[in-house]
Amino acid sequence: KILRRVRDACSMAWRCHWLISTQVTLTLGPLLRWWTLHRATCPLDHILMSFLGGLFLLSTVATITGWTFGNLVALIVVLPVSFIVGSWRLVVICDMIARWSAFCFVEELWLLGALRWFRRKRQHRFVENSNRAQRAFALYGAASAVGYACAQCILLACVVTAHMDGHTVFERGH
């Protein structure tokens, strides 16, 4: 009863606000703590730019293109399978595998492209092939990946919260 009252008292927007704040704090906090212990490795603005680039830019582009490419691959793979095999279970399994594989493939391509771009953009800061540069580039990549993972977790948490509240994708604002 108490949980139901608490759930009803809080609106979805308020819960999503706390979900987002908690998720960003839990992911950015350890990254900033690590940086305070290793300040000589790289500047803070590069760490924050990498994290925020993963959080906003990379997650938006990778999610949209991954979803689009996943739907395209699913159509290409599932249509022939549905005509060949009469079992709808096999069609659903092939559809899920095709979509997820295509989404992950596109996601990894975007992350690899972002890492290469960050490396080229910040090459002037370090002596070529130095140990410090390798650590800094690894940290930029980790910060981008953490930002991207944070964005995916926020998206999933918002979708689950909306589903638990009974909202659907096709609902209009009231």
Side-chain angles (χ1 to χ4, degrees):
K1 288 182 176 181
I2 294 172
L3 289 176
R4 183 174 295 224
R5 288 182 193 162
V6 170
R7 185 177 62 125
D8 292 338
C10 297
S11 69
M12 183 182 147
W14 182 251
R15 277 185 271 156
C16 283
H17 169 74
W18 282 107
L19 284 169
I20 291 168
S21 300
T22 304
Q23 186 65 36
V24 170
T25 303
L26 290 175
T27 54
L28 188 58
L31 190 64
L32 291 177
R33 184 178 172 274
W34 184 93
W35 180 82
T36 57
L37 298 174
H38 303 90
R39 290 177 189 227
T41 305
C42 56
L44 180 62
D45 62 328
H46 286 201
I47 298 298
L48 291 177
M49 185 187 146
S50 297
F51 178 80
L52 294 174
L55 182 65
F56 295 111
L57 180 67
L58 188 60
S59 65
T60 303
V61 173
T63 301
I64 291 171
T65 56
W67 182 77
T68 303
F69 191 67
N71 286 337
L72 181 65
V73 167
L75 283 174
I76 293 170
V77 170
V78 173
L79 283 178
V81 170
S82 64
F83 288 125
I84 295 171
V85 179
S87 172
W88 64 271
R89 290 183 182 137
L90 183 61
V91 172
V92 170
I93 290 171
C94 289
D95 180 56
M96 290 187 322
I97 290 172
R99 286 176 196 263
W100 184 251
S101 300
F103 181 82
C104 290
F105 177 72
V106 170
E107 171 186 77
E108 292 301 320
L109 284 179
W110 275 109
L111 187 58
L112 179 65
L115 292 177
R116 288 177 179 251
W117 180 71
F118 287 146
R119 185 178 180 103
R120 273 187 270 124
K121 185 177 179 185
R122 297 180 180 132
Q123 197 71 32
H124 68 281
R125 288 274 206 166
F126 304 103
V127 177
E128 185 65 33
N129 292 328
S130 71
N131 190 22
R132 183 173 170 237
Q134 296 301 323
R135 282 186 300 201
F137 293 134
L139 183 61
Y140 300 151
S144 298
V146 167
Y148 180 74
C150 180
Q152 292 297 320
C153 289
I154 288 170
L155 179 64
L156 179 64
C158 289
V159 167
V160 168
T161 302
H163 181 70
M164 288 173 59
D165 284 347
H167 298 287
T168 64
V169 176
F170 305 106
E171 225 175 53
R172 298 284 180 206
H174 297 279

